Structure formats: structure tokens, C-alpha cells
């Protein structure tokens, strides 16, 4: 059974950092791509980053590029999202997912999830 679980959210002030973790199981991690999404009630879900685990290729949406960094730890089947310079508009529930994604350079052009994980709340106060 494919499982993904995001953790590490919390309440921070604008400008501060958080590191989210995504624990995965039930699939071949090294052959997968893992993406990050965020959801705010009443707004469209945003897929903003992904990593191809095998070759560590990463893509980012413009909304997070330069502030967020995604990485993978194959022995642990874990993916991490380092979020720096957080802004109030980053407030959302963050989910990791097993995805298909594509881009150009480091720019994310498209992302589709195959399996969705439980999210973690990130709140950034001004």
C-alpha cells in the first residue's frame, strides 16, 4: 500500500524557516517523483515543487523558487522541504504526494499526483 505522511508544520513568524518531512512507503522510492502541494480553504490547490528521487532533479513554482528547497534521502525513504523566508501567504496545509512532474531548468511546468498523503498545517504570522 502506497503511503505518504507529511509532518513538521507549525506556527512561525514571517521571515522564519520550517523544515517539513515526508515519510513514504509501499513503492519503489528511488524510481519515484515526490511532489509538494499546499491547500488553503476556498482556493485552488497549488502544486509547487517536486523531486525526481533517482536523479535528484528538482522543480519549483515561481511562488517558492529561491526560498524553498526539496531534497530526498533514499536510505530513509524520506523527502524534505526546507522553507526559508516564509511569508503570510505561505500559510496552508502542506501535503506530499507521489507524482508525475515536468519542468524546464528548475521551473515547474506541470505536476499530477498519483497518491496523496496526509498534510501538515503551516501558519505564518505577519
Amino acid at each position: 500500500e502506497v503511503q505518504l505522511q507529511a509532518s513538521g508544520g507549525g506556527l512561525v513568524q514571517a521571515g522564519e524557516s520550517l523544515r517539513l518531512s515526508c515519510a513514504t512507503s509501499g513503492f519503489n522510492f528511488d524510481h519515484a517523483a515526490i511532489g509538494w502541494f499546499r491547500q488553503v480553504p476556498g482556493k485552488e490547490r497549488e502544486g509547487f515543487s517536486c523531486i525526481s528521487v533517482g536523479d535528484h532533479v528538482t522543480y519549483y513554482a515561481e511562488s517558492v523558487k529561491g526560498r524553498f528547497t526539496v531534497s530526498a534521502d533514499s536510505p530513509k525513504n524520506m523527502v524534505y522541504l526546507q522553507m526559508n523566508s516564509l511569508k503570510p501567504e505561505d500559510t496552508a496545509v502542506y501535503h506530499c504526494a507521489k507524482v508525475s512532474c515536468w519542468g524546464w531548468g528548475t521551473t515547474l511546468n506541470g505536476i499530477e499526483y498519483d497518491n496523496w498523503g496526509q498534510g501538515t498545517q503551516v501558519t505564518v504570522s505577519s
Side-chain angles (χ1 to χ4, degrees):
E1 180 186 4
V2 174
Q3 292 187 331
L4 301 101
Q5 172 75 59
S7 62
L11 172 62
V12 297
Q13 293 190 333
E16 294 184 341
S17 299
L18 270 177
R19 187 195 195 206
L20 303 186
S21 299
C22 176
T24 76
S25 62
F27 59 93
N28 189 327
F29 185 73
D30 288 339
H31 291 174
I34 305 298
W36 287 94
F37 295 77
R38 57 189 181 184
Q39 179 99 62
V40 176
K43 293 189 177 181
E44 189 173 342
R45 178 186 300 137
E46 180 190 14
F48 60 86
S49 181
C50 73
I51 181 168
S52 173
V53 175
D55 55 12
H56 291 270
V57 172
T58 57
Y59 299 116
Y60 301 93
E62 291 298 330
S63 57
V64 304
K65 191 179 288 187
R67 300 188 298 124
F68 291 10
T69 303
V70 61
S71 61
D73 185 338
S74 290
K76 296 181 179 179
N77 285 6
M78 295 286 294
V79 172
Y80 304 100
L81 182 69
Q82 178 67 42
M83 306 187 295
N84 298 330
S85 303
L86 283 161
K87 305 175 182 180
E89 51 263 44
D90 293 318
T91 296
V93 176
Y94 284 68
H95 297 263
C96 57
K98 185 174 177 291
V99 301
S100 299
C101 63
W102 55 96
W104 182 259
T106 59
T107 300
L108 181 67
N109 289 339
I111 185 168
E112 297 175 350
Y113 69 87
D114 302 320
N115 301 92
W116 188 252
Q118 189 169 348
T120 185
Q121 175 71 46
V122 172
T123 303
V124 185
S125 64
S126 57

mmCIF file of all heavy atoms in Angstrom, residues 29-80:
data_model
loop_
_atom_site.group_PDB
_atom_site.id
_atom_site.type_symbol
_atom_site.label_atom_id
_atom_site.label_comp_id
_atom_site.label_asym_id
_atom_site.label_seq_id
_atom_site.Cartn_x
_atom_site.Cartn_y
_atom_site.Cartn_z
ATOM 1 N N PHE A 29 10.922 3.797 -4.028
ATOM 2 C CA PHE A 29 11.231 5.203 -3.769
ATOM 3 C C PHE A 29 12.218 5.762 -4.780
ATOM 4 O O PHE A 29 12.050 6.880 -5.270
ATOM 5 C CB PHE A 29 11.787 5.332 -2.350
ATOM 6 C CG PHE A 29 12.040 6.738 -1.894
ATOM 7 C CD1 PHE A 29 10.984 7.573 -1.571
ATOM 8 C CD2 PHE A 29 13.329 7.219 -1.765
ATOM 9 C CE1 PHE A 29 11.213 8.870 -1.141
ATOM 10 C CE2 PHE A 29 13.573 8.511 -1.331
ATOM 11 C CZ PHE A 29 12.511 9.342 -1.021
ATOM 12 N N ASP A 30 13.238 5.015 -5.108
ATOM 13 C CA ASP A 30 14.299 5.516 -5.975
ATOM 14 C C ASP A 30 13.830 5.752 -7.411
ATOM 15 O O ASP A 30 14.483 6.457 -8.165
ATOM 16 C CB ASP A 30 15.481 4.545 -5.984
ATOM 17 C CG ASP A 30 16.255 4.579 -4.676
ATOM 18 O OD1 ASP A 30 16.150 5.587 -3.955
ATOM 19 O OD2 ASP A 30 16.938 3.592 -4.365
ATOM 20 N N HIS A 31 12.708 5.168 -7.775
ATOM 21 C CA HIS A 31 12.171 5.345 -9.130
ATOM 22 C C HIS A 31 10.983 6.305 -9.163
ATOM 23 O O HIS A 31 10.298 6.412 -10.182
ATOM 24 C CB HIS A 31 11.754 3.993 -9.717
ATOM 25 C CG HIS A 31 12.903 3.095 -10.012
ATOM 26 N ND1 HIS A 31 12.745 1.783 -10.432
ATOM 27 C CD2 HIS A 31 14.237 3.300 -9.937
ATOM 28 C CE1 HIS A 31 13.941 1.231 -10.602
ATOM 29 N NE2 HIS A 31 14.853 2.129 -10.303
ATOM 30 N N ALA A 32 10.773 6.994 -8.069
ATOM 31 C CA ALA A 32 9.582 7.831 -7.948
ATOM 32 C C ALA A 32 9.919 9.311 -8.028
ATOM 33 O O ALA A 32 11.075 9.721 -7.876
ATOM 34 C CB ALA A 32 8.884 7.545 -6.625
ATOM 35 N N ALA A 33 8.892 10.089 -8.251
ATOM 36 C CA ALA A 33 8.947 11.539 -8.071
ATOM 37 C C ALA A 33 7.984 11.893 -6.946
ATOM 38 O O ALA A 33 6.861 11.371 -6.898
ATOM 39 C CB ALA A 33 8.572 12.268 -9.346
ATOM 40 N N ILE A 34 8.431 12.756 -6.059
ATOM 41 C CA ILE A 34 7.618 13.188 -4.923
ATOM 42 C C ILE A 34 7.385 14.693 -5.049
ATOM 43 O O ILE A 34 8.334 15.462 -5.255
ATOM 44 C CB ILE A 34 8.304 12.879 -3.591
ATOM 45 C CG1 ILE A 34 8.661 11.388 -3.496
ATOM 46 C CG2 ILE A 34 7.409 13.301 -2.423
ATOM 47 C CD1 ILE A 34 7.477 10.450 -3.543
ATOM 48 N N GLY A 35 6.151 15.062 -4.912
ATOM 49 C CA GLY A 35 5.799 16.470 -5.047
ATOM 50 C C GLY A 35 5.209 17.032 -3.778
ATOM 51 O O GLY A 35 4.779 16.308 -2.882
ATOM 52 N N TRP A 36 5.215 18.350 -3.706
ATOM 53 C CA TRP A 36 4.610 19.077 -2.590
ATOM 54 C C TRP A 36 3.487 19.957 -3.114
ATOM 55 O O TRP A 36 3.633 20.649 -4.131
ATOM 56 C CB TRP A 36 5.646 19.930 -1.880
ATOM 57 C CG TRP A 36 6.608 19.128 -1.046
ATOM 58 C CD1 TRP A 36 7.833 18.667 -1.422
ATOM 59 C CD2 TRP A 36 6.408 18.694 0.299
ATOM 60 N NE1 TRP A 36 8.408 17.965 -0.394
ATOM 61 C CE2 TRP A 36 7.560 17.976 0.681
ATOM 62 C CE3 TRP A 36 5.379 18.844 1.231
ATOM 63 C CZ2 TRP A 36 7.712 17.408 1.935
ATOM 64 C CZ3 TRP A 36 5.529 18.269 2.484
ATOM 65 C CH2 TRP A 36 6.684 17.559 2.830
ATOM 66 N N PHE A 37 2.390 19.907 -2.384
ATOM 67 C CA PHE A 37 1.224 20.722 -2.688
ATOM 68 C C PHE A 37 0.844 21.490 -1.431
ATOM 69 O O PHE A 37 1.172 21.090 -0.322
ATOM 70 C CB PHE A 37 0.028 19.836 -3.082
ATOM 71 C CG PHE A 37 0.206 19.071 -4.349
ATOM 72 C CD1 PHE A 37 0.989 17.921 -4.394
ATOM 73 C CD2 PHE A 37 -0.430 19.471 -5.509
ATOM 74 C CE1 PHE A 37 1.143 17.202 -5.560
ATOM 75 C CE2 PHE A 37 -0.286 18.765 -6.691
ATOM 76 C CZ PHE A 37 0.498 17.626 -6.709
ATOM 77 N N ARG A 38 0.096 22.555 -1.629
ATOM 78 C CA ARG A 38 -0.484 23.243 -0.485
ATOM 79 C C ARG A 38 -1.902 23.671 -0.818
ATOM 80 O O ARG A 38 -2.236 23.946 -1.970
ATOM 81 C CB ARG A 38 0.373 24.434 -0.058
ATOM 82 C CG ARG A 38 0.640 25.480 -1.111
ATOM 83 C CD ARG A 38 1.682 26.461 -0.581
ATOM 84 N NE ARG A 38 1.962 27.525 -1.547
ATOM 85 C CZ ARG A 38 2.889 28.459 -1.358
ATOM 86 N NH1 ARG A 38 3.617 28.477 -0.248
ATOM 87 N NH2 ARG A 38 3.083 29.384 -2.283
ATOM 88 N N GLN A 39 -2.697 23.705 0.232
ATOM 89 C CA GLN A 39 -4.126 23.967 0.053
ATOM 90 C C GLN A 39 -4.596 24.952 1.113
ATOM 91 O O GLN A 39 -4.342 24.760 2.312
ATOM 92 C CB GLN A 39 -4.911 22.659 0.193
ATOM 93 C CG GLN A 39 -6.397 22.806 0.046
ATOM 94 C CD GLN A 39 -6.891 22.440 -1.334
ATOM 95 O OE1 GLN A 39 -6.742 21.307 -1.768
ATOM 96 N NE2 GLN A 39 -7.470 23.403 -2.026
ATOM 97 N N VAL A 40 -5.279 25.969 0.634
ATOM 98 C CA VAL A 40 -5.938 26.944 1.510
ATOM 99 C C VAL A 40 -7.427 26.828 1.259
ATOM 100 O O VAL A 40 -7.849 26.782 0.095
ATOM 101 C CB VAL A 40 -5.457 28.376 1.208
ATOM 102 C CG1 VAL A 40 -6.221 29.370 2.070
ATOM 103 C CG2 VAL A 40 -3.965 28.499 1.434
ATOM 104 N N PRO A 41 -8.240 26.748 2.298
ATOM 105 C CA PRO A 41 -9.696 26.644 2.086
ATOM 106 C C PRO A 41 -10.211 27.737 1.170
ATOM 107 O O PRO A 41 -9.880 28.916 1.335
ATOM 108 C CB PRO A 41 -10.263 26.784 3.511
ATOM 109 C CG PRO A 41 -9.174 26.292 4.394
ATOM 110 C CD PRO A 41 -7.896 26.719 3.731
ATOM 111 N N GLY A 42 -10.978 27.328 0.179
ATOM 112 C CA GLY A 42 -11.555 28.290 -0.743
ATOM 113 C C GLY A 42 -10.670 28.649 -1.911
ATOM 114 O O GLY A 42 -11.075 29.397 -2.801
ATOM 115 N N LYS A 43 -9.451 28.129 -1.906
ATOM 116 C CA LYS A 43 -8.529 28.425 -3.005
ATOM 117 C C LYS A 43 -8.125 27.128 -3.698
ATOM 118 O O LYS A 43 -8.223 26.037 -3.141
ATOM 119 C CB LYS A 43 -7.288 29.153 -2.495
ATOM 120 C CG LYS A 43 -7.551 30.545 -1.969
ATOM 121 C CD LYS A 43 -6.254 31.281 -1.682
ATOM 122 C CE LYS A 43 -6.503 32.700 -1.233
ATOM 123 N NZ LYS A 43 -5.242 33.438 -0.967
ATOM 124 N N GLU A 44 -7.649 27.281 -4.925
ATOM 125 C CA GLU A 44 -7.211 26.128 -5.695
ATOM 126 C C GLU A 44 -5.947 25.536 -5.090
ATOM 127 O O GLU A 44 -5.056 26.253 -4.634
ATOM 128 C CB GLU A 44 -6.944 26.551 -7.136
ATOM 129 C CG GLU A 44 -6.681 25.408 -8.101
ATOM 130 C CD GLU A 44 -6.597 25.896 -9.530
ATOM 131 O OE1 GLU A 44 -7.066 27.007 -9.825
ATOM 132 O OE2 GLU A 44 -6.032 25.146 -10.361
ATOM 133 N N ARG A 45 -5.872 24.205 -5.075
ATOM 134 C CA ARG A 45 -4.682 23.526 -4.601
ATOM 135 C C ARG A 45 -3.496 23.898 -5.491
ATOM 136 O O ARG A 45 -3.620 23.932 -6.719
ATOM 137 C CB ARG A 45 -4.900 22.022 -4.643
ATOM 138 C CG ARG A 45 -3.713 21.191 -4.205
ATOM 139 C CD ARG A 45 -4.004 19.724 -4.443
ATOM 140 N NE ARG A 45 -5.166 19.289 -3.704
ATOM 141 C CZ ARG A 45 -6.103 18.502 -4.216
ATOM 142 N NH1 ARG A 45 -6.008 18.085 -5.454
ATOM 143 N NH2 ARG A 45 -7.124 18.122 -3.465
ATOM 144 N N GLU A 46 -2.360 24.162 -4.872
ATOM 145 C CA GLU A 46 -1.158 24.547 -5.615
ATOM 146 C C GLU A 46 -0.083 23.483 -5.470
ATOM 147 O O GLU A 46 0.370 23.184 -4.376
ATOM 148 C CB GLU A 46 -0.603 25.880 -5.105
ATOM 149 C CG GLU A 46 0.654 26.320 -5.841
ATOM 150 C CD GLU A 46 1.353 27.515 -5.209
ATOM 151 O OE1 GLU A 46 1.036 27.869 -4.051
ATOM 152 O OE2 GLU A 46 2.238 28.101 -5.881
ATOM 153 N N GLY A 47 0.319 22.910 -6.580
ATOM 154 C CA GLY A 47 1.499 22.050 -6.607
ATOM 155 C C GLY A 47 2.688 22.914 -6.899
ATOM 156 O O GLY A 47 2.717 23.591 -7.930
ATOM 157 N N PHE A 48 3.664 22.964 -6.002
ATOM 158 C CA PHE A 48 4.701 23.967 -6.141
ATOM 159 C C PHE A 48 6.119 23.429 -6.213
ATOM 160 O O PHE A 48 7.060 24.194 -6.460
ATOM 161 C CB PHE A 48 4.615 24.990 -5.001
ATOM 162 C CG PHE A 48 4.777 24.378 -3.634
ATOM 163 C CD1 PHE A 48 6.042 24.193 -3.089
ATOM 164 C CD2 PHE A 48 3.675 23.998 -2.895
ATOM 165 C CE1 PHE A 48 6.216 23.637 -1.834
ATOM 166 C CE2 PHE A 48 3.829 23.426 -1.629
ATOM 167 C CZ PHE A 48 5.103 23.256 -1.101
ATOM 168 N N SER A 49 6.311 22.129 -5.990
ATOM 169 C CA SER A 49 7.670 21.596 -6.064
ATOM 170 C C SER A 49 7.626 20.091 -6.258
ATOM 171 O O SER A 49 6.669 19.424 -5.844
ATOM 172 C CB SER A 49 8.442 21.925 -4.779
ATOM 173 O OG SER A 49 9.770 21.427 -4.853
ATOM 174 N N CYS A 50 8.672 19.559 -6.869
ATOM 175 C CA CYS A 50 8.810 18.107 -6.918
ATOM 176 C C CYS A 50 10.279 17.741 -7.087
ATOM 177 O O CYS A 50 11.099 18.574 -7.486
ATOM 178 C CB CYS A 50 7.973 17.482 -8.022
ATOM 179 S SG CYS A 50 8.582 17.753 -9.675
ATOM 180 N N ILE A 51 10.566 16.498 -6.740
ATOM 181 C CA ILE A 51 11.913 15.959 -6.896
ATOM 182 C C ILE A 51 11.814 14.571 -7.512
ATOM 183 O O ILE A 51 10.992 13.754 -7.099
ATOM 184 C CB ILE A 51 12.673 15.910 -5.551
ATOM 185 C CG1 ILE A 51 14.089 15.369 -5.750
ATOM 186 C CG2 ILE A 51 11.911 15.109 -4.498
ATOM 187 C CD1 ILE A 51 14.989 15.570 -4.541
ATOM 188 N N SER A 52 12.635 14.346 -8.526
ATOM 189 C CA SER A 52 12.805 13.016 -9.077
ATOM 190 C C SER A 52 13.894 12.345 -8.246
ATOM 191 O O SER A 52 15.047 12.754 -8.283
ATOM 192 C CB SER A 52 13.228 13.112 -10.546
ATOM 193 O OG SER A 52 13.549 11.836 -11.060
ATOM 194 N N VAL A 53 13.503 11.363 -7.456
ATOM 195 C CA VAL A 53 14.406 10.839 -6.435
ATOM 196 C C VAL A 53 15.669 10.240 -7.048
ATOM 197 O O VAL A 53 16.768 10.463 -6.552
ATOM 198 C CB VAL A 53 13.687 9.795 -5.560
ATOM 199 C CG1 VAL A 53 14.666 9.173 -4.575
ATOM 200 C CG2 VAL A 53 12.518 10.424 -4.815
ATOM 201 N N GLY A 54 15.529 9.508 -8.123
ATOM 202 C CA GLY A 54 16.667 8.798 -8.689
ATOM 203 C C GLY A 54 17.794 9.698 -9.153
ATOM 204 O O GLY A 54 18.972 9.388 -8.957
ATOM 205 N N ASP A 55 17.434 10.833 -9.758
ATOM 206 C CA ASP A 55 18.472 11.723 -10.283
ATOM 207 C C ASP A 55 18.486 13.080 -9.585
ATOM 208 O O ASP A 55 19.239 13.970 -9.980
ATOM 209 C CB ASP A 55 18.316 11.907 -11.793
ATOM 210 C CG ASP A 55 16.936 12.398 -12.183
ATOM 211 O OD1 ASP A 55 16.177 12.810 -11.295
ATOM 212 O OD2 ASP A 55 16.615 12.341 -13.390
ATOM 213 N N HIS A 56 17.661 13.216 -8.548
ATOM 214 C CA HIS A 56 17.630 14.450 -7.728
ATOM 215 C C HIS A 56 17.326 15.704 -8.557
ATOM 216 O O HIS A 56 17.688 16.804 -8.158
ATOM 217 C CB HIS A 56 18.945 14.622 -6.964
ATOM 218 C CG HIS A 56 19.121 13.593 -5.886
ATOM 219 N ND1 HIS A 56 18.685 13.761 -4.594
ATOM 220 C CD2 HIS A 56 19.668 12.362 -5.937
ATOM 221 C CE1 HIS A 56 18.957 12.677 -3.891
ATOM 222 N NE2 HIS A 56 19.556 11.801 -4.675
ATOM 223 N N VAL A 57 16.642 15.535 -9.665
ATOM 224 C CA VAL A 57 16.183 16.695 -10.418
ATOM 225 C C VAL A 57 15.028 17.332 -9.658
ATOM 226 O O VAL A 57 14.115 16.635 -9.202
ATOM 227 C CB VAL A 57 15.740 16.291 -11.831
ATOM 228 C CG1 VAL A 57 15.077 17.463 -12.539
ATOM 229 C CG2 VAL A 57 16.932 15.789 -12.640
ATOM 230 N N THR A 58 15.083 18.636 -9.500
ATOM 231 C CA THR A 58 14.053 19.341 -8.739
ATOM 232 C C THR A 58 13.441 20.457 -9.565
ATOM 233 O O THR A 58 14.104 21.071 -10.407
ATOM 234 C CB THR A 58 14.634 19.939 -7.451
ATOM 235 O OG1 THR A 58 15.725 20.817 -7.777
ATOM 236 C CG2 THR A 58 15.133 18.850 -6.511
ATOM 237 N N TYR A 59 12.176 20.706 -9.295
ATOM 238 C CA TYR A 59 11.457 21.783 -9.959
ATOM 239 C C TYR A 59 10.703 22.589 -8.911
ATOM 240 O O TYR A 59 10.240 22.041 -7.906
ATOM 241 C CB TYR A 59 10.453 21.246 -10.976
ATOM 242 C CG TYR A 59 11.045 20.443 -12.106
ATOM 243 C CD1 TYR A 59 10.746 19.093 -12.254
ATOM 244 C CD2 TYR A 59 11.894 21.035 -13.043
ATOM 245 C CE1 TYR A 59 11.272 18.348 -13.294
ATOM 246 C CE2 TYR A 59 12.424 20.291 -14.090
ATOM 247 C CZ TYR A 59 12.111 18.949 -14.211
ATOM 248 O OH TYR A 59 12.636 18.215 -15.246
ATOM 249 N N TYR A 60 10.555 23.897 -9.193
ATOM 250 C CA TYR A 60 9.864 24.776 -8.258
ATOM 251 C C TYR A 60 8.955 25.739 -9.015
ATOM 252 O O TYR A 60 9.300 26.227 -10.082
ATOM 253 C CB TYR A 60 10.864 25.603 -7.451
ATOM 254 C CG TYR A 60 11.840 24.769 -6.658
ATOM 255 C CD1 TYR A 60 13.076 24.417 -7.183
ATOM 256 C CD2 TYR A 60 11.517 24.325 -5.372
ATOM 257 C CE1 TYR A 60 13.966 23.649 -6.451
ATOM 258 C CE2 TYR A 60 12.404 23.555 -4.637
ATOM 259 C CZ TYR A 60 13.627 23.220 -5.187
ATOM 260 O OH TYR A 60 14.513 22.452 -4.470
ATOM 261 N N ALA A 61 7.811 26.034 -8.404
ATOM 262 C CA ALA A 61 6.973 27.110 -8.927
ATOM 263 C C ALA A 61 7.613 28.444 -8.576
ATOM 264 O O ALA A 61 8.381 28.554 -7.607
ATOM 265 C CB ALA A 61 5.583 27.013 -8.312
ATOM 266 N N GLU A 62 7.251 29.458 -9.346
ATOM 267 C CA GLU A 62 7.828 30.782 -9.125
ATOM 268 C C GLU A 62 7.496 31.319 -7.732
ATOM 269 O O GLU A 62 8.258 32.092 -7.171
ATOM 270 C CB GLU A 62 7.330 31.747 -10.193
ATOM 271 C CG GLU A 62 7.861 31.467 -11.594
ATOM 272 C CD GLU A 62 9.374 31.584 -11.689
ATOM 273 O OE1 GLU A 62 9.966 32.385 -10.929
ATOM 274 O OE2 GLU A 62 9.973 30.868 -12.516
ATOM 275 N N SER A 63 6.374 30.878 -7.196
ATOM 276 C CA SER A 63 5.932 31.388 -5.887
ATOM 277 C C SER A 63 6.880 30.986 -4.755
ATOM 278 O O SER A 63 6.874 31.627 -3.695
ATOM 279 C CB SER A 63 4.521 30.885 -5.580
ATOM 280 O OG SER A 63 4.479 29.468 -5.610
ATOM 281 N N VAL A 64 7.687 29.936 -4.965
ATOM 282 C CA VAL A 64 8.563 29.466 -3.889
ATOM 283 C C VAL A 64 10.033 29.410 -4.307
ATOM 284 O O VAL A 64 10.906 29.165 -3.459
ATOM 285 C CB VAL A 64 8.133 28.067 -3.382
ATOM 286 C CG1 VAL A 64 6.680 28.082 -2.947
ATOM 287 C CG2 VAL A 64 8.386 26.992 -4.414
ATOM 288 N N LYS A 65 10.315 29.617 -5.571
ATOM 289 C CA LYS A 65 11.681 29.480 -6.066
ATOM 290 C C LYS A 65 12.604 30.441 -5.336
ATOM 291 O O LYS A 65 12.279 31.616 -5.154
ATOM 292 C CB LYS A 65 11.725 29.736 -7.571
ATOM 293 C CG LYS A 65 13.053 29.368 -8.220
ATOM 294 C CD LYS A 65 13.026 29.628 -9.708
ATOM 295 C CE LYS A 65 12.169 28.649 -10.432
ATOM 296 N NZ LYS A 65 12.277 28.820 -11.905
ATOM 297 N N GLY A 66 13.745 29.918 -4.903
ATOM 298 C CA GLY A 66 14.716 30.725 -4.178
ATOM 299 C C GLY A 66 14.500 30.729 -2.677
ATOM 300 O O GLY A 66 15.379 31.154 -1.922
ATOM 301 N N ARG A 67 13.329 30.270 -2.233
ATOM 302 C CA ARG A 67 13.037 30.230 -0.788
ATOM 303 C C ARG A 67 12.897 28.800 -0.276
ATOM 304 O O ARG A 67 13.258 28.517 0.868
ATOM 305 C CB ARG A 67 11.742 30.992 -0.491
ATOM 306 C CG ARG A 67 11.782 32.454 -0.880
ATOM 307 C CD ARG A 67 10.535 33.196 -0.368
ATOM 308 N NE ARG A 67 9.303 32.670 -0.947
ATOM 309 C CZ ARG A 67 8.277 32.225 -0.239
ATOM 310 N NH1 ARG A 67 8.330 32.228 1.085
ATOM 311 N NH2 ARG A 67 7.194 31.784 -0.852
ATOM 312 N N PHE A 68 12.372 27.919 -1.104
ATOM 313 C CA PHE A 68 12.123 26.536 -0.700
ATOM 314 C C PHE A 68 13.107 25.616 -1.408
ATOM 315 O O PHE A 68 13.463 25.850 -2.573
ATOM 316 C CB PHE A 68 10.708 26.104 -1.065
ATOM 317 C CG PHE A 68 9.610 26.761 -0.283
ATOM 318 C CD1 PHE A 68 9.840 27.835 0.559
ATOM 319 C CD2 PHE A 68 8.298 26.307 -0.419
ATOM 320 C CE1 PHE A 68 8.808 28.429 1.264
ATOM 321 C CE2 PHE A 68 7.266 26.891 0.279
ATOM 322 C CZ PHE A 68 7.515 27.954 1.125
ATOM 323 N N THR A 69 13.528 24.561 -0.709
ATOM 324 C CA THR A 69 14.430 23.560 -1.286
ATOM 325 C C THR A 69 13.919 22.174 -0.930
ATOM 326 O O THR A 69 13.678 21.885 0.249
ATOM 327 C CB THR A 69 15.861 23.729 -0.756
ATOM 328 O OG1 THR A 69 16.331 25.049 -1.041
ATOM 329 C CG2 THR A 69 16.794 22.723 -1.407
ATOM 330 N N VAL A 70 13.777 21.332 -1.947
ATOM 331 C CA VAL A 70 13.317 19.965 -1.714
ATOM 332 C C VAL A 70 14.510 19.024 -1.866
ATOM 333 O O VAL A 70 15.375 19.229 -2.718
ATOM 334 C CB VAL A 70 12.177 19.587 -2.683
ATOM 335 C CG1 VAL A 70 12.614 19.653 -4.136
ATOM 336 C CG2 VAL A 70 11.594 18.231 -2.342
ATOM 337 N N SER A 71 14.550 18.007 -1.010
ATOM 338 C CA SER A 71 15.635 17.024 -1.054
ATOM 339 C C SER A 71 15.089 15.648 -0.699
ATOM 340 O O SER A 71 13.986 15.531 -0.152
ATOM 341 C CB SER A 71 16.763 17.419 -0.099
ATOM 342 O OG SER A 71 16.293 17.477 1.227
ATOM 343 N N ALA A 72 15.869 14.619 -1.031
ATOM 344 C CA ALA A 72 15.439 13.248 -0.764
ATOM 345 C C ALA A 72 16.553 12.465 -0.097
ATOM 346 O O ALA A 72 17.736 12.680 -0.387
ATOM 347 C CB ALA A 72 15.016 12.566 -2.061
ATOM 348 N N ASP A 73 16.154 11.588 0.804
ATOM 349 C CA ASP A 73 17.089 10.691 1.495
ATOM 350 C C ASP A 73 16.652 9.268 1.177
ATOM 351 O O ASP A 73 15.707 8.745 1.777
ATOM 352 C CB ASP A 73 17.045 10.962 2.995
ATOM 353 C CG ASP A 73 18.067 10.150 3.781
ATOM 354 O OD1 ASP A 73 18.521 9.093 3.290
ATOM 355 O OD2 ASP A 73 18.413 10.574 4.890
ATOM 356 N N SER A 74 17.333 8.650 0.204
ATOM 357 C CA SER A 74 16.886 7.339 -0.258
ATOM 358 C C SER A 74 16.935 6.251 0.798
ATOM 359 O O SER A 74 15.983 5.470 0.908
ATOM 360 C CB SER A 74 17.702 6.923 -1.490
ATOM 361 O OG SER A 74 17.368 7.717 -2.603
ATOM 362 N N PRO A 75 18.025 6.139 1.592
ATOM 363 C CA PRO A 75 18.031 5.068 2.595
ATOM 364 C C PRO A 75 16.856 5.149 3.569
ATOM 365 O O PRO A 75 16.422 4.128 4.096
ATOM 366 C CB PRO A 75 19.356 5.278 3.318
ATOM 367 C CG PRO A 75 20.229 5.945 2.314
ATOM 368 C CD PRO A 75 19.307 6.855 1.552
ATOM 369 N N LYS A 76 16.356 6.347 3.799
ATOM 370 C CA LYS A 76 15.271 6.521 4.758
ATOM 371 C C LYS A 76 13.897 6.634 4.087
ATOM 372 O O LYS A 76 12.880 6.750 4.771
ATOM 373 C CB LYS A 76 15.508 7.766 5.615
ATOM 374 C CG LYS A 76 16.747 7.685 6.489
ATOM 375 C CD LYS A 76 16.896 8.931 7.332
ATOM 376 C CE LYS A 76 18.124 8.842 8.218
ATOM 377 N NZ LYS A 76 18.307 10.066 9.029
ATOM 378 N N ASN A 77 13.872 6.647 2.741
ATOM 379 C CA ASN A 77 12.618 6.846 2.000
ATOM 380 C C ASN A 77 11.905 8.125 2.457
ATOM 381 O O ASN A 77 10.682 8.153 2.615
ATOM 382 C CB ASN A 77 11.676 5.644 2.163
ATOM 383 C CG ASN A 77 12.129 4.443 1.343
ATOM 384 O OD1 ASN A 77 13.198 4.466 0.739
ATOM 385 N ND2 ASN A 77 11.327 3.396 1.326
ATOM 386 N N MET A 78 12.692 9.160 2.643
ATOM 387 C CA MET A 78 12.165 10.432 3.144
ATOM 388 C C MET A 78 12.432 11.556 2.147
ATOM 389 O O MET A 78 13.451 11.571 1.455
ATOM 390 C CB MET A 78 12.831 10.801 4.466
ATOM 391 C CG MET A 78 12.538 9.869 5.617
ATOM 392 S SD MET A 78 10.872 10.063 6.273
ATOM 393 C CE MET A 78 10.960 11.725 6.952
ATOM 394 N N VAL A 79 11.513 12.483 2.104
ATOM 395 C CA VAL A 79 11.692 13.715 1.333
ATOM 396 C C VAL A 79 11.520 14.876 2.296
ATOM 397 O O VAL A 79 10.674 14.836 3.201
ATOM 398 C CB VAL A 79 10.681 13.802 0.184
ATOM 399 C CG1 VAL A 79 10.732 15.171 -0.491
ATOM 400 C CG2 VAL A 79 10.970 12.711 -0.847
ATOM 401 N N TYR A 80 12.329 15.899 2.097
ATOM 402 C CA TYR A 80 12.301 17.061 2.970
ATOM 403 C C TYR A 80 12.018 18.325 2.166
ATOM 404 O O TYR A 80 12.412 18.438 1.009
ATOM 405 C CB TYR A 80 13.627 17.206 3.705
ATOM 406 C CG TYR A 80 13.996 15.978 4.490
ATOM 407 C CD1 TYR A 80 14.912 15.057 3.998
ATOM 408 C CD2 TYR A 80 13.397 15.720 5.722
ATOM 409 C CE1 TYR A 80 15.235 13.921 4.700
ATOM 410 C CE2 TYR A 80 13.713 14.571 6.434
ATOM 411 C CZ TYR A 80 14.630 13.672 5.918
ATOM 412 O OH TYR A 80 14.945 12.539 6.622
#
